[in-house]
Every structure is written in C-alpha cells, then in structure tokens.
Amino acid sequence: MTSTSTTAQGALVTPAQPASEDVGVRQLLERGRRLSTPALRSAVERLAAPMDTVAAYHFGWIDAHGNPSEADGGKAVRPALALLSAEVAGADAEVGLPGAVAVELVHNFSLLHDDLMDGDEQRRHRDTVWKVHGPALAVLVGDALFGLANEVLLELGTVDAGRATRRLTRATRRLIDGQAQDISYEHRERVTVQECLEMEGNKTGALLACSTSIGAVLGGADDATADALETYGYHLGLAFQAVDDLLGIWGDPSSTGKRTWSDLRQRKKSLPVVAALEGRGPAAERLCQLLTDDAKKSQEQFQEFQESEFAERAALIEEAGGRDWTAEEARRQHATAVAALDDVRMPDRVRAQLVGLADFVVVRER
Amino acid sequence: MTSTSTTAQGALVTPAQPASEDVGVRQLLERGRRLSTPALRSAVERLAAPMDTVAAYHFGWIDAHGNPSEADGGKAVRPALALLSAEVAGADAEVGLPGAVAVELVHNFSLLHDDLMDGDEQRRHRDTVWKVHGPALAVLVGDALFGLANEVLLELGTVDAGRATRRLTRATRRLIDGQAQDISYEHRERVTVQECLEMEGNKTGALLACSTSIGAVLGGADDATADALETYGYHLGLAFQAVDDLLGIWGDPSSTGKRTWSDLRQRKKSLPVVAALEGRGPAAERLCQLLTDDAKKSQEQFQEFQESEFAERAALIEEAGGRDWTAEEARRQHATAVAALDDVRMPDRVRAQLVGLADFVVVRER
C-alpha cells in the first residue's frame, strides 16, 4: 500500500487511469450544489413547523439556535450525478433537477434515521438531529423527507416521472435493506467479504445508481440506458464505500471530521477488517483473537482503549492484507463503473465528466 | 348525551339516519381483510430479514417468539374502503387491491413510528414493536413499509398507478404533518378546537380520504370523482376520530383494549377536552384550573392519581359540554361525509355500503 498511501495528494487509492483535472469535477459538484440547493430549500419549506426548522438544521442552513449558517452540507455527489445524467439523455441539466432534489432528500432521510439508530452524535462536525432536537423529531423529519422525495417527482405528473419514482422507490428499499444488514452484522461474530459488499451495495450503491439514472429517465432515456447508468453508479458507490472504509481507519481526522481509527472505535466490520480476517497467517490469526476478545468488552471498557491499542489493530489489518485488498477493490469497482459507460451513447464531455467523477470519488484525500 | 350514551348497543353516538344492517358492513370489512391479507403478507415477505419477522409481529401474524398467531390486526377499514372505491368506478373490487395494500402499509408505517415517538407500549392488546424488537427496528421497519407502499403501487406501471401514488404521497405527508402537530400541541398550554380538528384531519382524515379514492383512481375514475370520494373519506375520518376521542375518555376498556380514562391519563388534548375548555361557566373554569395544575405535574406524580380524580375530570368535561359537542361533531362530520357522495355516480349497492360504513364508524360500541 505504500505506493498509494504516499501519493503527493495524500490519497489512499490511485486509480489505474487518473483523469486530467480539465473535466472540472469540482465545478460539476459546485453546479450540483448551486442548482439543487434552492430547489431543496423550497421543498423543505413545505414541511409543517417544527419539521422545516429541524430539516434546515440538518442540512446546515441554520444552527441549533435557528440562526442562518453555512455549515458543510456534504459533497452533493448525488445531485451532481442526477443533473449530469439528464445530459446523458441529451436533455438540459435542469431537467434532472427534480431527480437531484429527490435523491438528496432520500439520502438525508436515511442519514437522519441511521444516525438515530446507530446512536451517532456527530455528522459533518455538528451534533446530529436527534442529539439537538430529540429522537421523535429525527424519526418524523426523516419520514417527511422521504415523503417529500416522492412528492417532488410525482407532481411532475409525467410517465417518465412515474418511472423515475419507481427506480427511486426500489433504491430506497435497498438502502433500508442495507441498514438492516448493517445492524444485524453488528451482532454477528463473523461477516464475510461477500456479505459486506452486498450490504455496502445496498447502503451506498443503490442510491448512487439511482442518482445516475434518474436525470436520464426524466430526460426520456430508455430502460436499457438507465440500467447501464445504474451499473456505473452502483459500482461507483462500491468504490466510494471501499475508500470510505479505508478513511474510516487510516483517514486524517482533520479531513474526515471523525476521530482517529473511527471505524475501529465503533468495532465496525468494514471491508479492510473482514478482508483481513479472511486472510491466513499470523497477523490474521492475532487480529481474529484480538477482535474476538474486543467483542466481549462493554462499550465503556472499549472506550478506554489507548491510541496504541487501535494502532496495533490497524497495523494487523494492514499486515493481514486488509488494506491492500480494499484499495485494490476500490480500483476494481472504479474500473467496472467506468466500463459500464461503454454501453451508453452520450456526448464526449458528459462521458469525460462521469469518468472524472469516478476518479474523484476514488482519489479523495484522506 | 343521555340519549346517545344509553342506547341498547352501548354506542356513544347515534347517527341521524341509521342504516339498516342489510348493507352488510361486517361482510364488507371481512372482504377487505380476506382479500388484502394475502397480498399484504406477500408484500411483507419481500422485506430483508429481520424486518420481515418484525413486520409480521406488528401485523399480528406471529407472536414475539416467532410462532404463528392470529392476533387482532385491526378493523381493516382502509382496505375495505379501497376495494369498495374501485367498485365506485365500475371496476372489480380486486382492481383496488394494490391500493388496499398500499394504504394499509402506510397506516402501519405510521403506527410503528407513532408508537415509538409517543412511547406507547401497547397496541391491540400486545406489546408494541419498539418494546419487543427495540427502537432501531421500529424505525427501520416503518421506513420499509412506507417504501413498500409506493413500490406496490408503482410496479403496476400505469398512468393511473402514478396518479394513485401521488395521492397516497400527499396523504402520507399530511399524516406526518398531523403527527408533528400532535407532538407540538403536547407542549402547549392551550389548543383550540380548530387546531385540534386540523390535526385530526391530517392524522386520520387524509389517509381515510386516500383510501376512499385510491381504488377508484386505479379503476380509471377522473379527478373530480376521486376528489368527491376524498371529501367523503376525509369527513368519515373526522367522524371516526371524534368517536375515538369519546371512547378515549368514556370507552369501555374491554372493547377499546385501553385503560379507563385512557386519554386523560395521557393528558391528551382531545376534542372533548378542548371543546370543554372553550366553554364558559364554572365547570369549564374548574376544569381549566385542574388541567393547568396537572400540566405542572411530572408523569410519575400523574400516574399516582386515583380513579376518582380522573372521574372528576371526565365529569367536568361532560358538564362543560365537551362530550355533547364532540358527539354532535361526529354526527356533523358523518352528515358531511355522506352528502359528498351525492356528487358521484355509482351503483346503488356501493352507495348504500359507503353510507353503511359511515354509520358503522360513528356507531362503534364503547
């Protein structure tokens, strides 16, 4: 892993074919945010009080006291993909806007509920909604965002909007399935790499897949085109998640906004961990022993661990090959994603931007 | 109120024009349950483990240990309405089946989440899902049922299914708005009758409205017909809720499955309470004083109240006119519901059954 972990940009993974900076990925993300935020805000304004305020807090538009703020609202990869996908179908980016809003609403519905279910107290360097506004409103506002997502699409009243909503509904159900798997895996002693990939495909892949097809569907693309775009988005999601799992152990807290060894502290069975445990040799054996003992400890005992104890586990995961395997997996998923675009006719600029986005996702800084 | 509270059947409200038993309301409800249950079960079977099991527990198909059971799954008024509404449009009842399943899924999504938010430990004489399976699964399975509802409709792939989903989405958002109002009213010292009716219209009226239009829409009815049916369903919902509010104070625990003075124990600002508080005279004043003091008490202090203290509050509500006003309101809503049917052409039998259902809702035994 030294070759990838010591690149100039501090990236954890380098794709086989890095794109040039010229395709303007940052501008693309910026466009996604610029176009979708006003539409998202006006959708959220439809919510009855106090749900509108709670949602505005979640999105970072106001602080906990209700004062305007400009907190980090996330990378907005999904809206950017939705707008770009309309251009795949030859339509204006704006045609994908209701889709961009809908996927972002569903994404944030799942964040609200997942944070509550997982007991996570921080998101994007701020207290989570249930911490600030209580569990009831976290449930309710999540529900409202879910409903709003369907509403925004269906009120277009077109056949294509119905098709788009159906894809979104399917993706949302997979998102929920993924969270169910995630929760049930927590109570299991052992999870296979295959199970982990399936869970991550549901939790992350399905909605990124839908984000990449929804604008195209609204722009009149046929189902074969939409399916190929979903293949791209799905594998993009898995690449994204593999990188996220690397960042969850070896990421720099100042960029990730999480503590050091974040996923290890949560005893998360992420890809590097499960891949390492499937390895053979003394490092895998020692790791297995340690994690089995860890599982018996209470959350309180575990929180008292020294930095060196997490560092030991991270080193064993790396020695047992979990880090290399995950970085390699990110590259494999990246390649599969990009290859899926071969099946779709689209303007060269749009293709270059989709490839650029895939590169961006994989080469995120730590 | 003596005339209504002492009828032979023990009903709390008698409608102005009681329907004969001949229209077969019980058979109608039975048909709703018979047709919708298998479809509902096969929809729920799509859920990933352990959500399928948790949902099956919620619906009463299995007990907390996973053994088959036949617990009370509720009256199934919504599926019965959805099937009947297909017949309004001249279609077979079965055409309304996906709609019947969808509204029942949304209804149960809201029960799962509301029980968690409200901390209710019992529903239909059984422990609620969050009590048995924990809060995380109550959130997640609720989400899954919500998603499933849209999926069941949208996979029909027709324009009418898109229209039906749009109505369902709108109703679901109102349901959520209603729950938000309900929660926020709890923290308010005073709620007006108007606010209470608006909340109940959202929480109960909107989904009953949708239940009454969804089968018709799937059967090809135009929007004007669907809107008139929604008017019937909305006011039916308000009539239902008024009766529910009467039962919540004066209902017989052996029929309601709740404790005596159930709504008073929860300090619920239900219709009889808010109507009584809007009255003048010594009873209203004394009630206002008592409830203001009650609001300052902790839940623990409140739970130690004697039966006689609740009986005193119930008597004051009655004396201040809250009981009479609510029974009268149930009759008014019943009449408005039935009158809305005048605008819709439909077979005589179907009309008689819709009227019969409205009567049934209002004349429920205590």
Side-chain angles (χ1 to χ4, degrees), chain B residues 219-243:
Chain B
D222 61 22
D223 280 335
T225 301
D227 288 344
L229 288 169
E230 291 214 356
T231 303
Y232 161 89
Y234 183 76
H235 293 284
L236 181 74
L238 281 171
F240 181 95
Q241 197 54 56
V243 175

Side-chain angles (χ1 to χ4, degrees), chain B residues 56-283:
Chain B
Y57 170 77
H58 170 76
F59 282 107
W61 305 328
I62 57 173
D63 65 20
H65 308 290
N67 302 314
S69 90
E70 291 203 18
D72 171 22
K75 285 172 293 295
V77 171
R78 292 166 194 80
L81 279 170
L83 298 178
L84 195 52
S85 93
E87 294 181 298
V88 171
D92 285 343
E94 282 77 3
V95 170
L97 192 53
V101 172
V103 292
E104 199 64 357
L105 286 169
V106 165
H107 175 54
N108 283 283
F109 136 73
S110 80
L111 295 182
L112 272 165
H113 282 190
D114 287 3
D115 284 343
L116 174 64
M117 287 184 255
D118 300 341
D120 288 340
E121 304 188 355
Q122 290 271 313
R123 157 141 340 254
R124 299 167 191 154
H125 308 270
R126 303 162 79 223
D127 283 343
T128 47
V129 163
W130 70 267
K131 261 311 255 188
V132 176
H133 296 281
L137 276 167
V139 173
L140 200 60
V141 174
D143 293 345
L145 297 184
F146 186 1
L148 208 48
N150 293 318
E151 204 170 301
V152 162
L153 281 180
L154 288 169
E155 67 195 6
L156 296 173
T158 62
V159 172
D160 287 335
R163 292 170 60 216
T165 314
R166 190 170 163 193
R167 282 181 187 266
L168 181 64
T169 297
R170 223 155 41 196
T172 309
R173 279 246 296 115
R174 290 190 64 181
L175 203 66
I176 296 166
D177 283 356
Q179 174 68 3
Q181 290 166 324
D182 203 4
I183 291 176
S184 77
Y185 292 173
E186 268 171 36
H187 306 291
R188 296 230 320 247
E189 204 171 294
R190 205 64 183 265
V191 173
T192 66
V193 165
Q194 206 45 52
E195 287 171 325
C196 188
L197 287 174
E198 193 190 315
M199 182 267 282
E200 295 190 340
N202 283 332
K203 264 193 99 159
T204 308
L207 191 60
L208 275 172
C210 181
S211 305
T212 318
S213 71
I214 200 164
V217 170
L218 292 175
D222 61 22
D223 280 335
T225 301
D227 288 344
L229 288 169
E230 291 214 356
T231 303
Y232 161 89
Y234 183 76
H235 293 284
L236 181 74
L238 281 171
F240 181 95
Q241 197 54 56
V243 175
D244 228 48
D245 284 357
L246 289 170
L247 291 170
I249 299 179
W250 295 282
D252 175 353
S254 72
S255 334
T256 61
K258 296 174 178 171
R259 296 175 68 190
T260 52
W261 324 114
S262 159
D263 284 356
L264 296 182
R265 286 177 201 278
Q266 292 184 51
R267 290 183 269 197
K268 208 174 139 186
K269 296 181 185 77
S270 67
L271 269 186
V273 179
V274 297
L277 288 172
E278 287 194 1
R280 282 158 200 267

Side-chain angles (χ1 to χ4, degrees), chain A residues 229-285:
Chain A
L229 289 169
E230 291 214 357
T231 303
Y232 160 90
Y234 183 76
H235 293 282
L236 181 75
L238 281 171
F240 181 95
Q241 197 53 57
V243 176
D244 227 49
D245 284 356
L246 289 170
L247 292 170
I249 299 178
W250 295 282
D252 175 351
S254 71
S255 329
T256 61
K258 295 174 179 172
R259 295 175 69 189
T260 52
W261 324 113
S262 157
D263 284 356
L264 296 182
R265 286 177 201 278
Q266 292 185 51
R267 291 183 269 197
K268 206 174 143 186
K269 295 181 184 78
S270 67
L271 269 186
V273 178
V274 297
L277 288 173
E278 287 195 1
R280 282 158 200 269
E285 274 166 34

Side-chain angles (χ1 to χ4, degrees), chain A residues 59-185:
Chain A
F59 282 108
W61 304 328
I62 57 173
D63 65 21
H65 309 288
N67 302 316
S69 92
E70 290 203 18
D72 171 21
K75 285 174 293 294
V77 171
R78 292 165 194 80
L81 279 170
L83 297 178
L84 195 52
S85 93
E87 293 181 298
V88 171
D92 286 343
E94 281 77 3
V95 171
L97 192 53
V101 172
V103 292
E104 199 63 358
L105 287 169
V106 166
H107 174 55
N108 284 283
F109 136 73
S110 78
L111 295 181
L112 272 165
H113 282 189
D114 288 2
D115 284 343
L116 174 64
M117 286 184 255
D118 301 341
D120 288 340
E121 303 188 355
Q122 290 272 312
R123 158 139 342 251
R124 299 168 192 153
H125 309 268
R126 304 162 79 223
D127 284 343
T128 46
V129 164
W130 70 267
K131 263 309 256 187
V132 177
H133 295 283
L137 276 167
V139 172
L140 199 62
V141 175
D143 293 345
L145 297 183
F146 186 1
L148 208 48
N150 294 319
E151 205 171 301
V152 162
L153 281 180
L154 288 168
E155 67 194 6
L156 297 172
T158 63
V159 173
D160 287 335
R163 292 171 60 217
T165 314
R166 192 170 161 192
R167 284 182 185 266
L168 181 65
T169 297
R170 224 156 41 197
T172 308
R173 279 246 295 114
R174 291 191 64 180
L175 202 68
I176 295 166
D177 283 356
Q179 173 69 2
Q181 290 166 325
D182 202 5
I183 290 176
S184 77
Y185 292 173

